[in-house]
Amino acid sequence: MPRISPFVGLLFDPSVVGSHEAVTTPPYDVIPDDDRRRYLDASPYNVIRLDLGSGEPEDVGDDRYRGASNDLRSWIDAGALRPTPEAAYFPYEMRGSWHGRPIAVRGVICAVDLEALGGSIVPHERTMEGPIEDRLRLLREVRANLSSIYAVFRGPNPLLGALVDEATAGAPEASMTDESGVEHRLWVARPDPALPRALEADSLMIADGHHRYATALRYRDEMHAEHGPGPWDRVMMLVVDASAEEPPVLPFHRIQVSGPVQAAGHRVRDLAEVLEAVSDEQVRYGMAVVEDGVLVHRIADLSGEPPAVGPLHDQVLRGLDDELRFTPDAVVAEAAVRNGDAVAAYFLAPTEAGRIRAVVDRGDRLPQKSTFFWPKPRTGLVIRPLDPPRVPDVPTSGRDRSRASSTPTQ
């Protein structure tokens, strides 16, 4: 049974930092290199400075992680980040448009007790060692959850739905519109002692943040060895009722930078026709490859069950994990082949949360970077510190936060 609890969160103060558009980002692992400079230039308080560093030449290696820690603490001291007055839940809503139809994904950001994967918290993707080591070195220094892991449960859960309904009827504590036109809104809600019990009969499937969850487990084990139990026994997570919400599950397309290529299937005209023809239900993928000096587009069918990314790796990409890169943008994947930076690109169709859950229920996992749950919770709208935040001696502005405690419950 997953155990959830409220926590004291750090929120950006708009009277100090300006708009939330200027200080928040997508999750670190979906930020293209070309966009990093834009976020850095947006504000000296942009959370990318914590998550990925300042981008300065000297900000490399251990200095990057120490620099992130120094920035976090200086922002708290300056009043740019302020703690909530007490431990709270954070109802969260993402509202936008997908293929011409409106979508809304709502849930609650909370602290979730860490446990070994496979019990009441289940993964659906494999992880890679490199990202885990990077996130672990950062967590050791900043001692904070900078972004929410995103998890879904089967539901229905009327109590969680009622909490979100009540919160969203009022004005949000923080709001912003991202680069895709998705509106993100966050509220602060007093703890409801009945809410943890309402989730006890369900299990959480990680939708996004497998590497961050694996990192939190490793950090917990390190801290247990030195200090025993503590706030590192929990991690920040957005939990969403999959029976009430229908988050689109977009694909991560594959870019093969080197190695042998299997050109299968039949040719089609262009990328637009590929994207129209690929099908998760029919286990059909597309590809772009240069043949005789010409960029060629193909579609091919696979055997097996959806989601198609599993059969693709088993039948076409087996043994090529080290040669693969990933992007949710099909145009970017095609351009890598066109420009000679890759030998092939593989295109997949969107899938469904239910198909992913079926993989988990039969005891399997999908390859790394298999799904792109969209929209993703915004990094920086709320931060969970592992150390009790010290209230700075600066004037309070905006909403009254004068009751913030220097010894909050984590």
Side-chain angles (χ1 to χ4, degrees):
M1 60 182 70
R3 294 184 175 90
I4 71 169
S5 56
F7 65 92
V8 169
L10 293 172
L11 305 177
F12 277 112
D13 187 336
S15 70
V16 177
V17 305
S19 72
H20 286 94
E21 280 85 355
V23 295
T24 63
T25 70
Y28 78 100
D29 56 345
V30 296
I31 299 176
D33 289 340
D34 293 345
D35 284 351
R36 290 183 64 174
R37 188 74 255 168
R38 177 169 63 83
Y39 289 120
L40 288 166
D41 291 343
S43 170
Y45 297 111
N46 192 284
V47 74
I48 199 170
R49 298 174 185 274
L50 309 182
D51 232 1
L52 292 175
S54 69
E56 300 301 328
E58 65 273 13
D59 193 15
V60 296
D62 289 340
D63 288 340
R64 175 166 79 82
Y65 306 109
R66 284 192 291 267
S69 176
N70 292 337
D71 281 343
L72 176 60
R73 278 139 189 85
S74 70
W75 294 358
I76 295 171
D77 289 342
L81 283 168
R82 291 187 173 275
T84 54
E86 59 186 359
Y89 291 116
F90 300 87
Y92 192 88
E93 180 183 72
M94 298 175 284
R95 189 177 293 274
S97 177
W98 167 242
H99 282 193
R101 65 178 178 89
I103 63 161
V105 178
R106 307 185 311 161
V108 173
I109 295 177
C110 53
V112 176
D113 282 14
L114 290 162
E115 60 177 70
L117 289 169
S120 61
I121 299 178
V122 294
H124 76 269
E125 290 183 349
R126 304 183 188 104
T127 56
M128 298 174 284
E129 185 61 30
I132 296 172
E133 179 60 27
D134 168 63
R135 294 295 94 183
L136 182 58
R137 293 172 70 184
L138 178 63
L139 182 55
R140 287 170 181 153
E141 294 292 338
V142 300
R143 293 176 62 86
N145 300 146
L146 301 177
S147 58
S148 292
I149 294 167
Y150 177 6
V152 298
F153 60 93
R154 287 190 178 93
N157 190 309
L159 185 61
L160 185 138
L163 174 67
V164 175
D165 287 341
E166 181 179 356
T168 55
E173 180 73 20
S175 64
M176 57 83 59
T177 301
D178 71 18
E179 301 79 5
S180 300
V182 175
E183 183 181 9
H184 298 252
R185 300 198 297 167
L186 177 137
W187 291 260
V188 179
R190 288 185 177 275
D192 183 340
L195 187 58
R197 293 192 298 272
L199 279 172
E200 286 181 352
D202 220 316
S203 63
L204 296 171
M205 182 183 76
I206 297 176
D208 185 65
H210 288 80
H211 291 95
R212 280 168 279 163
Y213 192 89
T215 298
L217 286 174
R218 294 230 190 138
Y219 184 71
R220 179 202 64 180
D221 292 345
E222 288 183 356
M223 297 303 285
H224 274 189
E226 294 186 28
H227 305 288
W232 39 82
D233 289 316
R234 295 174 288 281
V235 70
M236 184 168 68
M237 189 177 291
L238 169 65
V239 297
V240 171
D241 185 340
S243 72
E245 316 291 333
E246 295 183 10
V249 188
L250 312 186
F252 267 110
H253 306 295
R254 274 57 186 141
I255 301 171
Q256 183 182 341
V257 296
S258 62
V261 175
Q262 298 182 36
H266 63 274
R267 289 181 60 171
V268 295
R269 182 179 54 190
D270 54 19
L271 180 60
E273 190 167 348
V274 167
L275 297 179
E276 185 178 351
V278 293
S279 169
D280 193 64
E281 183 177 7
Q282 298 177 29
V283 198
R284 179 178 301 138
Y285 74 99
M287 66 182 304
V289 63
V290 174
E291 299 178 11
D292 298 325
V294 177
L295 181 66
V296 171
H297 297 84
R298 293 179 172 273
I299 58 171
D301 293 324
L302 297 160
S303 59
E305 299 293 323
V309 65
L312 177 65
H313 273 252
D314 290 342
Q315 299 167 37
V316 179
L317 301 179
R318 182 178 293 276
L320 294 176
D321 285 356
D322 292 341
E323 309 301 330
L324 298 179
R325 304 295 180 266
F326 311 93
T327 177
D329 191 329
V331 174
V332 170
E334 182 198 48
V337 181
R338 187 190 305 276
N339 299 337
D341 297 326
V343 295
Y346 304 86
F347 306 99
L348 293 159
T351 187
E352 299 174 358
R355 290 177 187 157
I356 299 167
R357 189 70 197 224
V359 173
V360 172
D361 289 346
R362 63 176 181 257
D364 293 335
R365 291 197 201 182
L366 295 172
Q368 69 273 18
K369 296 294 182 186
S370 288
T371 58
F372 189 87
F373 276 77
W374 183 86
K376 296 184 182 294
R378 196 75 171 177
T379 297
L381 278 183
V382 61
I383 292 171
R384 176 181 174 259
L386 301 187
D387 298 319
R390 184 180 68 83
V391 180
D393 297 324
V394 296
T396 301
S397 57
R399 288 185 174 87
D400 180 18
R401 301 188 181 98
S402 61
R403 294 185 296 114
S405 169
S406 61
T407 57
T409 300
Q410 292 290 311

